[in-house]
């Protein structure tokens, strides 16, 4: 899934990601950025993510307009 970071608190690791396709908000799992390039997230940052068995966003990775196949973006 692809989306944008809506909110993130680095002190607690609590955050919310909004999905591009259905505009649904998903809370981040506590370990959502473990083993990733991210050390910090900012609102509006594009990400690719998975959902765990509890419906929490996990395995956050870099996302971009190109990943989305946005028309006019090479």
């Amino acid at each position: 899934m692809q989306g944008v970071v809506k909110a993130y608190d680095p002190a607690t690791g609590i955050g919310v990601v909004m999905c591009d396709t259905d505009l649904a908000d998903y809370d981040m799992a506590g370990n959502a950025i473990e083993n990733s390039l991210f050390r910090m997230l900012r609102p509006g940052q594009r990400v690719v993510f998975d959902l765990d068995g509890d419906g929490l966003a996990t395995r956050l990775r870099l996302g971009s307009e190109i990943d989305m196949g946005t028309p006019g973006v090479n």
Side-chain angles (χ1 to χ4, degrees), residues 37-65:
L37 296 174
F38 295 119
R39 297 294 170 255
M40 179 67 166
L41 296 169
R42 60 177 168 68
Q45 185 168 5
R46 298 212 55 78
V47 293
V48 176
F49 62 98
D50 297 326
L51 293 179
D52 68 11
D54 295 324
L56 298 174
T58 190
R59 290 188 5 97
L60 269 68
R61 3 202 228 285
L62 295 173
S64 70
E65 295 296 327

Side-chain angles (χ1 to χ4, degrees), residues 2-40:
Q2 297 182 67
V4 295
V5 174
K6 198 168 178 180
Y8 180 72
D9 180 356
T12 63
I14 295 172
V16 178
V17 178
M18 182 175 65
C19 182
D20 287 337
T21 54
D22 61 6
L23 302 181
D25 288 344
Y26 295 98
D27 291 331
M28 287 183 204
N31 63 348
I33 64 171
E34 278 183 20
N35 300 317
S36 76
L37 296 174
F38 295 119
R39 297 294 170 255
M40 179 67 166

